[in-house]
Amino acid sequence: MAVKDLTSISTALSTTYDLRLVVLSLVVAIISSYTALDMAGQVPATQGLARKLWLGGSAIALGISIWVMHFIAMLAYELPIPITYDIATTILSLLVAIALCGVGLSIASKRPLGWLALLAGGTFVGLGIIGMHFTAIRGMRLAAMPVYNPLFVIGAGVFTILMSIAALWLAF
């Protein structure tokens, strides 16, 4: 069989989820995001070094909460083939989440909070989640090629950004 023929072969792998880990992922997301956004609520009331510390702590807490929730969900995803993760790419995914959440929280924590700042801040937080997800997926090492439905990816991205805007609106 020629190499060209191999690229046209497509076999779907059977996947399952460990429901216990999915539920744990949701619980972690709710509790940790609430904590991080509650911390971020302190940012507008502070100035100088205190503001920077609250903002940095909030960005780190939110980025880590998103990252931990994601990786618990990834552990829930079961394939019939072994999966490992590249450590450098996995750490990069954490840094992407922290950095973009920090930018979003910084924008949204300025007073007075207008709609444009809320939309921009929520968009950055949403992009942090999306960027973290695709960076983490890139760090997966497995003998399979992921296939994405572009409409589903776009819909999930829009939903992520809208929920990030809503979360910042509730926090600030």
Side-chain angles (χ1 to χ4, degrees), residues 9 14 21 24-25 41 55 62 74 86 98 115 135-136 167 170:
I9 297 172
S14 175
L21 289 175
L24 177 62
S25 174
L55 185 58
L62 187 57
M74 294 289 287
D86 176 69
I98 292 171
W115 282 104
T135 304
L170 291 171

Side-chain angles (χ1 to χ4, degrees), residues 46-108:
T46 58
Q47 295 177 353
L49 180 61
R51 177 181 169 76
K52 290 176 184 176
L53 291 173
W54 277 111
L55 185 58
S58 301
I60 291 168
L62 187 57
I64 289 173
S65 72
I66 291 165
W67 187 81
V68 167
M69 178 274 313
H70 181 270
F71 273 93
I72 292 171
M74 294 289 287
L75 291 173
Y77 185 63
E78 298 173 347
L79 285 170
I81 58 175
I83 303 172
T84 60
Y85 296 90
D86 176 69
I87 191 72
T89 309
T90 300
I91 292 170
L92 177 62
S93 71
L94 172 63
L95 298 177
V96 166
I98 292 171
L100 289 173
C101 286
V103 171
L105 290 173
S106 177
I107 292 169

Side-chain angles (χ1 to χ4, degrees), residues 130-153:
I130 294 165
M132 179 279 310
H133 172 75
F134 283 105
T135 304
I137 295 297
R138 185 87 173 133
M140 290 176 74
R141 301 294 179 246
L142 67 158
M145 176 69 74
V147 178
Y148 301 103
N149 177 331
L151 291 177
F152 183 74
V153 170

Side-chain angles (χ1 to χ4, degrees), residues 10 13 27 46 62 85-86 102 111 117 125 129 139 142 155 165 172:
S10 175
L13 297 174
V27 170
T46 58
L62 187 57
Y85 296 90
D86 176 69
R111 291 291 174 245
V125 171
I129 295 167
L142 67 158
I165 292 167
F172 295 112

